[in-house]
């Protein structure tokens, strides 16, 4: 099983990785490390895949029922699983989000006492899921680091005018995150949109990493809902090791 480890300046006790599509037991169109139990895959295969990932983690992660909302929950004591962001301050407690084109964003503070993860499609970004995760972590935003994991890239993410309107009405500067497409369609840069939201929330621009892997254009490594329709889900995981 191959993973992507964030290339960021996180404290040594912050651990994180992102799974790719290879290394599991699921059959096409979910081949092979599908972690989503809501996409039509054989339940036994999903369980086996999740067990493979869990073997790399200190504890079983909190598996969210992602609803494209802005709810953030505490991984140590989630009051609901219907959420799109999760945070932890207890070592060994794993935060996880699943994606297949939506943007996974991982957070940590500079001293290694809090971590978080957010699932950000355009609805979540527009609604404020990143800001909700930041608020739930209870850390000064300028003391946070963020990593933008693989997501649909700006040359593949075609949206309607209503999507662009959601962002531009709230923040006129996000107009630069869209390029004119065919007819009334627009090509959206989800990475640039996330960076803008993080900057407005108080996260320093030089503390945001990643944002350079396109799920849509790399079928060998990544699942992509926009490309394939019926497909699996990848996972982004983050947790704290004990401070030494």
């Amino acid at each position: 099983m191959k993973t992507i480890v964030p290339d960021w300046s996180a404290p040594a006790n912050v651990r994180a990785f992102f799974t790719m599509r290879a290394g599991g037991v699921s059959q096409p169109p979910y081949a092979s490390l599908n972690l989503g139990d809501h996409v039509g895959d054989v339940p036994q295969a999903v369980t086996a895949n999740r067990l493979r990932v869990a073997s790399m983690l200190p504890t079983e992660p909190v598996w969210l029922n992602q609803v494209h909302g802005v709810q953030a929950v505490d991984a140590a004591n989630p009051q609901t699983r219907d959420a799109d962001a999760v945070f932890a301050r207890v070592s060994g407690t794993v935060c996880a989000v699943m994606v297949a084109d939506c943007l996974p964003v991982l957070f940590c503070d500079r001293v290694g006492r809090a971590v978080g993860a957010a699932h950000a499609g355009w609805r979540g970004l527009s609604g404020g899921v990143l800001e909700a995760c930041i608020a739930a972590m209870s850390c000064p935003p300028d003391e946070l680091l963020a990593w933008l994991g693989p997501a649909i890239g700006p040359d593949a993410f075609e949206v309607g005018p209503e999507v662009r309107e959601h962002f531009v009405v709230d923040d006129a500067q996000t107009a630069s995150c869209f390029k004119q497409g065919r007819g009334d369609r627009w090509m959206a840069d989800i990475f640039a949109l996330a960076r803008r939201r993080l900057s407005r929330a108080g996260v320093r621009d030089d503390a945001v990493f990643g944002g350079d892997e396109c799920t849509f254009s790399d079928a060998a490594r990544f699942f992509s809902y926009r490309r394939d329709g019926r497909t699996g889900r990848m996972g982004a995981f983050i947790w704290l090791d004990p401070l030494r």
Side-chain angles (χ1 to χ4, degrees):
M1 182 172 60
K2 294 182 179 179
T3 64
I4 295 174
V5 176
D7 183 12
W8 60 345
S9 54
N13 70 312
V14 173
R15 304 288 303 281
F17 65 85
F18 179 87
T19 62
M20 293 182 281
R21 68 178 303 164
V25 302
S26 292
Q27 298 301 304
Y30 310 106
S32 63
L33 192 69
N34 166 47
L35 301 178
D37 63 359
H38 62 293
V39 297
D41 195 2
V42 177
Q44 293 88 342
V46 178
T47 297
N49 290 337
R50 288 185 173 187
L51 285 173
R52 291 190 179 196
V53 173
S55 69
M56 302 172 62
L57 301 169
T59 57
E60 181 77 9
V62 173
W63 297 103
L64 301 177
N65 174 31
Q66 296 168 184
V67 294
H68 294 276
V70 299
Q71 178 73 35
V73 297
D74 186 344
N77 184 30
Q79 299 301 303
T80 179
R81 297 296 178 103
D82 294 340
D84 288 84
V86 57
F87 66 95
R89 299 189 193 91
V90 178
S91 62
T93 304
V94 180
C95 301
V97 291
M98 291 183 292
V99 294
D101 281 339
C102 290
L103 175 64
V105 181
L106 300 181
F107 294 96
C108 71
D109 69 334
R110 295 177 183 274
V111 295
R113 296 188 183 277
V115 293
H119 159 251
W122 75 261
R123 290 180 181 84
L125 275 179
S126 176
V129 69
L130 301 185
E131 294 89 337
C133 191
I134 290 169
M137 290 175 66
S138 299
C139 300
D142 62 355
E143 289 299 317
L144 292 179
L145 307 178
W147 180 73
L148 311 182
I152 189 168
D155 294 328
F157 192 20
E158 185 180 68
V159 300
E162 72 285 353
V163 174
R164 180 178 181 273
E165 188 74 7
H166 269 283
F167 289 96
V168 175
V169 165
D170 178 62
D171 177 9
Q173 292 192 38
T174 58
S176 64
C177 302
F178 296 86
K179 293 182 179 180
Q180 186 72 54
R182 299 171 297 175
D184 69 345
R185 312 297 286 178
W186 294 86
M187 306 305 295
D189 187 339
I190 199 168
F191 301 116
L193 288 167
R195 288 178 180 274
R196 177 63 183 165
R197 301 290 302 210
L198 291 169
S199 180
R200 289 183 71 197
V203 179
R204 290 169 41 182
D205 292 347
D206 63 359
V208 182
F209 301 83
D212 55 4
E213 294 272 14
C214 175
T215 50
F216 184 94
S217 63
D218 193 342
R221 294 198 300 158
F222 302 125
F223 295 119
S224 168
Y225 179 80
R226 181 67 69 98
R227 183 188 64 230
D228 300 324
R230 291 178 62 207
T231 193
R233 297 295 186 270
M234 303 164 291
F237 303 87
I238 190 166
W239 70 97
L240 295 167
D241 278 347
L243 284 168
R244 296 181 179 178

